[in-house]
Amino acid sequence: MQPTYLPWLGYFSLINSADKFVFLDNVKLEKSDWHVRNKIKSGRQELMLTCPVSTPKGRMIATIENTQFVSANPWRRKHLKSIAESYAKAPFFSSLFPLLDSIYNDESITFLAQMNIKIIRALMDYMNITTPTFIASELEGVSGVKDARLVSICNELECNNYLSPVGAQAYIEKESPGGALVKNDIEVFYQNFTHPKYPQVKGEFISHLSVIDCLFNIGPVETVKLINTYTGTHTHYQSLSV
């Protein structure tokens, strides 16, 4: 999966379901996508937090791994302030906020992928999710584009099953059921995750926010219980392709 900013619960469901998880960082950046933004709940409404990034050589050649933040923009302080104001009264604020504060104030983090992966791994540790993670750009011997690259990554990590979000089916199976993965004897499964409801600080429940909303409100132990409870049996590619 591409390393996204403050991912939602389903992202961690995917990580928790896998034996090995790969951050696909050496792919094209989409400035309007979840690579650079995500939502929290502020009062009774959702609030979008967006990271300003620089693409001096143009968006067409910018990848997640080589994209840097706009250094003059005080977005880190603004994001931390928004998070603090939104969750100061949440039950697990004093437990989680210092972890985020330490990452946002780390001036050595200047690249988008670096920040996103740091946050995701820190939240995994906070939830005691122990799935081994790898960074695609650091894997040797990986080649190809699109689903051929996925095949190469699976071969490098000696994996014969590939778990994907269902939203990637059209991408994987553009040419044939299961795509290049199945052609190379790698079975494809699609994630089944139903977003649960949980207590939130104010107002009616808002779904599909960053995982930190759930963590601030019910804590790491109960969040993982929700992830496990609402992660269904993964669907084999043939069940969706016929």
Side-chain angles (χ1 to χ4, degrees):
M1 278 289 289
Q2 297 162 8
T4 58
Y5 182 62
L6 296 174
W8 73 302
L9 278 167
Y11 195 102
F12 291 91
S13 165
L14 197 72
I15 295 175
N16 201 38
S17 297
D19 298 312
K20 299 175 182 178
F21 184 85
V22 179
F23 294 108
L24 191 64
D25 63 329
N26 49 2
V27 293
K28 187 177 181 295
L29 170 76
E30 299 292 346
K31 289 185 70 173
S32 61
D33 210 337
W34 302 114
H35 307 157
V36 298
R37 62 178 185 161
N38 223 308
K39 299 179 291 184
I40 62 172
K41 187 176 182 184
S42 181
R44 300 177 185 274
Q45 299 178 335
E46 63 181 40
L47 173 67
M48 184 72 76
L49 302 179
T50 303
C51 305
V53 294
S54 174
T55 54
K57 295 183 180 180
R59 289 179 57 184
M60 295 306 296
I61 62 172
T63 63
I64 302 173
E65 65 166 323
N66 67 21
T67 295
Q68 290 186 285
F69 298 114
V70 177
S71 58
N73 190 308
W75 67 272
R76 302 179 198 230
R77 178 175 53 81
K78 292 179 180 178
H79 284 201
L80 277 174
K81 182 180 179 182
S82 294
I83 292 169
E85 290 176 346
S86 299
Y87 297 108
K89 295 183 179 180
F92 289 85
F93 178 80
S94 62
S95 171
L96 177 57
F97 186 78
L99 175 65
L100 297 174
D101 184 74
S102 67
I103 297 173
Y104 280 81
N105 283 304
D106 185 347
E107 295 183 0
S108 69
I109 301 175
T110 59
F111 286 86
L112 176 64
Q114 185 185 13
M115 170 67 84
N116 291 352
I117 292 170
K118 182 81 171 181
I119 290 174
I120 293 166
R121 283 176 166 169
L123 294 178
M124 286 176 61
D125 288 343
Y126 184 66
M127 290 185 275
N128 197 29
I129 295 175
T130 59
T131 305
T133 61
F134 304 84
I135 299 175
S137 62
E138 296 178 355
L139 294 175
E140 297 180 1
V142 172
S143 60
V145 296
K146 299 184 178 179
D147 53 347
R149 180 180 297 182
L150 302 182
V151 171
S152 185
I153 290 172
C154 287
N155 289 337
E156 181 68 19
L157 296 178
E158 300 181 343
C159 298
N160 55 15
N161 292 285
Y162 181 81
L163 177 62
S164 168
V166 69
Q169 183 193 6
Y171 171 85
I172 292 173
E173 304 194 30
K174 184 177 181 180
E175 303 297 333
S176 62
L181 290 157
V182 168
K183 288 181 179 179
N184 285 272
D185 299 320
I186 300 168
E187 291 296 292
V188 175
F189 296 85
Y190 292 104
Q191 175 193 31
N192 281 319
F193 179 73
T194 304
H195 200 292
K197 281 190 174 182
Y198 53 84
Q200 290 176 332
V201 176
K202 292 182 181 179
E204 295 183 1
F205 180 76
I206 299 177
S207 184
H208 290 77
L209 302 174
S210 166
V211 69
I212 66 171
D213 181 83
C214 191
L215 290 170
F216 275 124
N217 282 292
I218 66 173
V221 174
E222 294 303 315
T223 295
V224 173
K225 286 182 180 178
L226 281 185
I227 288 172
N228 290 335
T229 300
Y230 286 87
T231 299
T233 302
H234 304 303
T235 304
H236 192 263
Y237 81 97
Q238 289 179 329
S239 300
L240 291 177
S241 300
V242 295

